[in-house]
Amino acid sequence: MFESFHLPFFKLSSRSSSSSSNDTTKTMTTKTKKKSKCMAYFWWAFGGFSGFHHFYLGRDLHGFLWWATLGGYFGVGWIADLYYIGDYVAEANDEPEFNKKMKEIVKKHKKPPFSTTRFTAMILLAYFWSSVFQMGIPEEEFYDINWKVLYILTPIPCALGIWAVGNLGQQKGGIWIPLLTAYLTLPLKYVMDESTAYTIMVLAAAYTFDSFEKQWKPKSKTTKSSGCCKRIVLVLGGYLIFCSFWGSYVYFNAKVTDQSGDEIPVREALYHFFKSPWWTDLKQSIRDVKNYIKVHGWVATWKLMVEMSDTNGENNAYKVLELSSSASQGEINEKCKYLSKTHHPDKFTDEEEKRQAQEKFFEIQQACEVLSSKRAKRRRKNKKYEDGEL
């Protein structure tokens, strides 16, 4: 989505020293390992939303931004990469034609020309990172500390977003001027609408970066790349920092609505969930299943799980009638008559009680029908078996 080029130039010495030539050739071979365009398209198709194709080509910052924005703002950048992958691969492979084209561009423009796409991306990313940072700040006091004072740090993620987009590919720039601009415009939130003030802050910081900071990356005689471990540490560090803000938002500020319409913090809802009988029973069920697998094997365990799922509703019917599975047909019939009489809707005059009784009555009738049907099928099956034996 962004114009992105490298300018790695190698100047070969005119001396005919064999050792020097061998060293140079070895260095170039090591540092210009070819990247496959087919593999780049493969990673684009099967991991492009997470920036896998950029990581494959050594464009770690670009890959991180794609991961943090779901493929360049929900797939927009990912789709645009389909057009730019050819240039990305040529850049990674240090192809002569590509370098020649870039020499002409740099010669024609002493400073990178204005790009609407890149400038828009700077604004969007700066606003997005600033919003995520603010969302992660606890709205209520925690450990008797008012964490809202951290709002004063909002210009930092704003400037980082601008810097990150501004340093993609062949362009580069510092962070200090956009950061200073963001802090100078931050007080506007006290004199106007907060959303408008933050929009002005982002626009001003992006404009100062584009006007005073951006420049071409210097030409280098080598293309020394960072080690694999260093790359992994940097990318994972960025992931952890970014995810920590989302985690802080979910833990401190996110809320869910219960059946009565009341808002409950997610952390409290999770606490109650893990303390609920449903969860504790589930943990015990998982333990029982593990033990059953060890003793009886997978086939017997699967049959047990199918039986416990109660697909025919027989177990639930016994529960509704408050009977054990060993109850006789006579006990079932007697319980059905008693509960049907007790919960008959005609016995109630209040509309709400009448409605609840009607629901319970229907549930009882359904349970009686299920058990009667299952018992009748078993009797017929047993009779056929006995007749066949005879």
Side-chain angles (χ1 to χ4, degrees):
M1 184 174 180
F2 307 104
E3 299 83 347
S4 175
F5 308 102
H6 265 322
L7 292 175
F9 298 103
F10 293 95
K11 292 185 179 180
L12 300 180
S13 174
S14 59
R15 297 175 183 175
S16 58
S17 173
S18 59
S19 60
S20 176
S21 177
N22 291 336
D23 291 342
T24 304
T25 303
K26 185 177 181 180
T27 301
M28 291 178 63
T29 303
T30 302
K31 296 175 182 178
T32 59
K33 186 177 180 180
K34 297 295 182 181
K35 297 294 183 180
S36 167
K37 187 179 290 188
C38 290
M39 285 300 298
Y41 278 112
F42 171 83
W43 288 119
W44 173 88
F46 295 98
F49 261 54
S50 298
F52 283 12
H53 55 301
H54 289 301
F55 291 124
Y56 167 70
L57 296 173
R59 306 167 60 86
D60 294 344
L61 179 58
H62 213 153
F64 173 77
L65 295 185
W66 257 219
W67 171 85
T69 59
L70 295 179
Y73 276 90
F74 307 100
V76 175
W78 173 68
I79 295 173
D81 279 345
L82 188 61
Y83 173 78
Y84 288 110
I85 280 181
D87 286 337
Y88 295 156
V89 174
E91 172 193 355
N93 291 335
D94 190 34
E95 295 179 4
E97 292 184 5
F98 183 82
N99 290 338
K100 182 179 179 181
K101 180 175 70 173
M102 285 310 304
K103 280 183 180 179
E104 295 175 355
I105 294 176
V106 174
K107 185 177 181 180
K108 183 178 179 181
H109 303 280
K110 293 183 178 180
K111 180 181 178 180
F114 177 81
S115 169
T116 303
T117 302
R118 187 183 289 262
F119 189 79
T120 302
M122 285 194 293
I123 293 172
L124 292 175
L125 188 64
Y127 202 93
F128 175 57
W129 279 5
S130 299
S131 300
V132 172
F133 174 78
Q134 291 181 347
M135 289 166 59
I137 299 174
E139 295 176 353
E140 301 175 357
E141 289 189 1
F142 190 70
Y143 286 118
D144 296 326
I145 299 175
N146 185 356
W147 296 94
K148 291 184 179 181
V149 69
L150 293 178
Y151 279 109
I152 197 173
L153 300 179
T154 302
I156 295 178
C158 170
L160 280 173
I162 293 168
W163 174 88
V165 176
N167 279 263
L168 291 177
Q170 183 56 33
Q171 299 184 22
K172 75 167 191 173
I175 194 176
W176 299 113
I177 290 181
L179 180 61
L180 178 61
T181 304
Y183 266 110
L184 290 175
T185 54
L186 181 63
L188 290 176
K189 73 172 188 173
Y190 299 107
V191 296
M192 61 174 61
D193 177 68
E194 189 170 304
S195 179
T196 303
Y198 282 127
T199 301
I200 294 175
M201 178 184 71
V202 170
L203 287 171
Y207 174 79
T208 54
F209 179 91
D210 192 79
S211 301
F212 305 108
E213 282 288 352
K214 73 173 182 178
Q215 54 184 295
W216 296 113
K217 286 182 179 177
K219 301 175 184 179
S220 58
K221 295 182 180 180
T222 61
T223 55
K224 184 179 180 180
S225 59
S226 301
C228 183
C229 291
K230 183 179 179 180
R231 292 176 61 193
I232 292 174
V233 169
L234 290 175
V235 172
L236 287 181
Y239 284 174
L240 291 175
I241 293 173
F242 185 73
C243 290
S244 67
F245 291 116
W246 280 113
S248 178
Y249 163 71
V250 171
Y251 183 80
F252 291 109
N253 300 331
K255 293 180 175 60
V256 294
T257 305
D258 62 10
Q259 295 179 343
S260 61
D262 296 329
E263 289 188 340
I264 303 173
V266 169
R267 64 179 183 275
E268 293 183 12
L270 289 174
Y271 174 80
H272 294 316
F273 170 77
F274 289 119
K275 291 291 183 180
S276 66
W278 189 92
W279 175 251
T280 54
D281 291 346
L282 176 62
K283 289 193 294 184
Q284 184 60 46
S285 299
I286 293 174
R287 294 192 191 100
D288 293 341
V289 169
K290 287 182 178 179
N291 294 330
Y292 199 88
I293 291 174
K294 293 179 181 178
V295 178
H296 302 282
W298 283 99
V299 176
T301 303
W302 174 253
K303 291 180 180 179
L304 177 64
M305 292 174 65
V306 172
E307 183 180 348
M308 291 175 62
S309 65
D310 194 27
T311 54
N312 54 25
E314 189 172 0
N315 293 335
N316 184 61
Y318 282 117
K319 183 178 179 180
V320 170
L321 298 178
E322 301 175 356
L323 293 171
S324 66
S325 58
S326 60
S328 64
Q329 187 61 48
E331 291 175 330
I332 293 174
N333 294 338
E334 184 178 350
K335 195 72 170 182
C336 286
K337 290 180 181 178
Y338 172 74
L339 292 177
S340 297
K341 182 178 180 180
T342 302
H343 297 281
H344 199 285
D346 293 343
K347 294 184 62 176
F348 301 92
T349 56
D350 182 77
E351 290 297 327
E352 181 62 23
E353 293 180 350
K354 193 178 188 70
R355 183 188 64 79
Q356 293 178 359
Q358 189 172 6
E359 292 178 358
K360 184 66 176 179
F361 181 80
F362 176 77
E363 189 178 18
I364 293 168
Q365 294 300 310
Q366 193 176 34
C368 294
E369 183 179 350
V370 167
L371 292 182
S372 298
S373 175
K374 296 301 177 185
R375 290 288 178 108
K377 287 181 180 180
R378 285 198 189 95
R379 286 196 296 269
R380 288 195 297 268
K381 186 176 181 179
N382 292 335
K383 189 174 186 306
K384 288 180 180 180
Y385 178 77
E386 290 172 358
D387 291 343
E389 288 291 321
L390 295 172

